[in-house]
Amino acid sequence: MQEAPLMPKATAVWLVENTALSFDQIAEFCKLHPLEVKAIADGDSAQGIKGLDPIQTGQLTRDEIERAENDKNRRLHLADRKVRVPEQKTKRGPRYTPVSRRQDRPNAILWLIRNHPELKDSQIMRLVGTTKSTIQSIRERSHWNAANLTPLDPVTLGLCSQIDLDMQVAKAAKEKPAPSDHDRVTLLPASVTTAPEQEPIEDARTAAAHAKSQEDADVASVFAKLKKIGGTKTEED
């Protein structure tokens, strides 16, 4: 579909005054109704509008106008733009909440705080159209109606769409840093938890040799004490 020229009514005024084009040709080019173009020609409309020359603005060529004047069935076509101006993206303003739903916003905020603590205050503000002070008062239980608040899903209440909620949750999860290996708690493998406890098993010979050596050490210590007590008499006996 062909785009409308710059300042359609001003362009139509100039074409009516300076060309022999039909009303239908001018109306189709300027995206106006033929009766509106006729009213411009009769002086009933656009009396205070100054005509805009489409040739000077680069929207039409003189040859294109002459060919259309000679052929009443020919349509006028906009000339190709030499410079492409990128479209300016307008920032989305605060979400509008209907008056009938504004009383449900504290319940929705409480639901978001409990079920999605990773959401920032700015994200909650965009979802339900509230203020930061309201979010803070509900989080600190200092809201004037805190005792009667009930957490309710904002999607069910119609305050936001499920797509917007999922998008904000995914964005918050992406910005949240992942836990490190030291902080991450993991379960032990089943092979470790289900394995039977192994008791230390000593070889019978090793145990017997250890007991005998212990016994010999005890006997030697007893004789040594007796020698100290009895002296030479003990040696003669």
Side-chain angles (χ1 to χ4, degrees):
M1 184 176 180
Q2 182 177 331
E3 298 180 0
L6 181 66
M7 301 177 65
K9 278 196 175 183
T11 303
V13 170
W14 189 92
L15 292 174
V16 168
E17 294 177 351
N18 298 276
T19 66
L21 296 171
S22 66
F23 294 159
D24 293 334
Q25 288 175 314
I26 298 175
E28 186 176 2
F29 177 73
C30 297
K31 304 305 177 186
L32 300 174
H33 196 276
L35 294 178
E36 192 173 0
V37 178
K38 185 177 182 301
I40 293 174
D42 294 339
D44 299 333
S45 177
Q47 295 179 357
I49 298 178
K50 184 179 180 181
L52 178 65
D53 187 356
I55 299 176
Q56 290 185 355
T57 57
Q59 301 180 93
L60 278 176
T61 60
R62 196 172 299 277
D63 294 338
E64 180 71 15
I65 294 176
E66 291 179 356
R67 284 193 293 266
E69 288 176 339
N70 297 328
D71 185 4
K72 297 302 180 182
N73 295 323
R74 183 181 178 84
R75 298 180 180 180
L76 294 171
H77 297 282
L78 278 172
D80 294 335
R81 296 180 180 178
K82 297 181 180 180
V83 178
R84 296 289 180 180
V85 180
E87 297 182 0
Q88 295 182 356
K89 297 182 179 179
T90 57
K91 295 183 179 180
R92 295 179 61 183
R95 181 183 295 274
Y96 173 76
T97 305
V99 178
S100 59
R101 295 292 184 184
R102 291 179 185 178
Q103 59 184 357
D104 297 328
R105 281 188 298 191
N107 296 328
I109 295 171
L110 182 60
W111 188 91
L112 291 172
I113 291 174
R114 288 188 178 181
N115 293 275
H116 297 287
E118 69 276 8
L119 289 176
K120 299 179 181 178
D121 291 350
S122 58
Q123 293 176 309
I124 299 177
M125 291 166 59
R126 284 193 293 269
L127 286 172
V128 298
T130 184
T131 60
K132 191 171 184 179
S133 59
T134 304
I135 299 173
Q136 193 68 20
S137 63
I138 294 175
R139 182 178 280 113
E140 297 175 355
R141 306 295 293 177
S142 59
H143 191 266
W144 65 272
N145 197 26
N148 299 323
L149 293 182
T150 303
L152 296 175
D153 189 351
V155 178
T156 306
L157 295 174
L159 296 175
C160 67
S161 64
Q162 187 65 46
I163 297 176
D164 292 339
L165 177 60
D166 295 341
M167 186 183 301
Q168 295 298 333
V169 171
K171 184 178 179 181
K174 187 177 181 180
E175 293 177 355
K176 186 178 181 181
S180 60
D181 296 337
H182 298 286
D183 300 334
R184 187 181 295 118
V185 179
T186 58
L187 298 176
L188 294 175
S191 58
V192 177
T193 57
T194 58
E197 295 183 359
Q198 297 181 357
E199 297 181 356
I201 302 174
E202 293 185 354
D203 187 65
R205 295 180 180 178
T206 305
H210 180 70
K212 185 176 181 181
S213 60
Q214 187 68 27
E215 184 178 356
D216 293 342
D218 294 340
V219 172
S221 62
V222 171
F223 277 108
K225 290 181 180 180
L226 290 175
K227 287 181 179 179
K228 290 181 180 180
I229 295 173
T232 309
K233 185 178 182 181
T234 306
E235 293 178 357
E236 292 178 358
D237 293 340

